[in-house]
Every structure is written in structure tokens, then in C-alpha cells.
Amino acid sequence: MDPVRARLQTERDETLRRLANLTDDFQAIVAASQDTNADDEHDPEGATIAFERSQVSTLARDAQRHLSEIDAAVERVDAGTYGVCETCGQPIGEGRLEARPTARLCIRCAERRTR
Ligand SMILES: [Zn+2]
């Protein structure tokens, strides 16, 4: 298999696994909140559960976003545009792609954008 595809596949598997764990966590938190009186906002336990729940759903949303980034990267591999900076058209460095397989911008353009 193409090493780029293999890398994206690994990334995808890991993200799916993370998402599955987060879903388990979320269900555990929901189950725990049904045991305690979490509807009572004056209950400190309820506030903790609400906080945990929002933490987990934020992480799950991040993981889902990452999944769609991976899918978009696979589409770029299919289209032959993977590893090419979307802003300047220069190749994205191999080290950067290794660290961030879903990168759409070269390091220079990415830095310019966050500035
Ligand atoms: Zn660039």
C-alpha cells in the first residue's frame, strides 16, 4: 500500500477508536447522572457531571472533525493534490505531513495564517 494512504488509514483507525472510547465515556457519564440527582443544578455532583459531559462531547466533536479532515485528505490523494500547499502550490514538507497527515498548507503558509 501507498505509504501516504497507509498513514491516513492508521490515523483514521486511531481516531475511530478514540471516538468509540469517548462514546463509551459519554454513556458512562449519562448512566452515572441517572443514578445521582443530576437534574438539581444546586447539586455539586450534577455540575461536575455536566462539566464532564461537555468535555467529552467537545473531544468527540474534535475527533469527528478530524475524521472528516482525514477523509478530505484521502480525496486529495485520489485527486493527486495531496501534499501540495493549497495557498502557494509548493509541496508540503515530508516532516510536516508525517506529524500532521491532514495538513493542507505548507508550514510557511500555516504560520502566516495563524499570525
Ligand atoms: Zn504554502
Side-chain angles (χ1 to χ4, degrees):
M1 201 203 252
D2 182 346
V4 170
R5 285 180 195 274
R7 191 188 293 155
L8 288 169
Q9 184 64 48
T10 306
E11 187 86 2
R12 197 166 202 286
D13 290 346
E14 280 169 10
T15 309
L16 281 174
R17 202 156 37 226
R18 198 167 59 191
L19 201 55
N21 286 338
L22 287 167
T23 307
D24 286 349
D25 287 354
F26 192 80
Q27 278 159 357
I29 294 166
V30 171
S33 72
Q34 280 159 355
D35 291 341
T36 63
N37 197 3
D39 288 335
D40 183 357
E41 59 185 54
H42 302 296
D43 178 1
E45 188 97 9
T48 307
I49 288 165
F51 175 74
E52 279 176 6
R53 195 159 27 178
S54 80
Q55 288 283 88
V56 170
S57 57
T58 300
L59 288 173
R61 220 170 15 237
D62 285 351
Q64 243 143 11
R65 191 176 315 139
H66 192 55
L67 264 189
S68 50
E69 280 171 7
I70 293 166
D71 288 342
V74 172
E75 278 171 27
R76 291 198 298 280
V77 174
D78 291 338
T81 59
Y82 180 83
V84 177
C85 174
E86 288 185 355
T87 300
C88 69
Q90 295 296 306
I92 301 171
E94 181 59 25
R96 175 162 165 77
L97 286 175
E98 232 166 82
R100 268 198 85 195
T102 60
R104 314 173 76 110
L105 299 175
C106 71
I107 190 89
R108 243 192 253 180
C109 292
E111 278 176 3
R112 204 174 303 150
R113 185 179 271 197
T114 55
R115 224 173 268 162

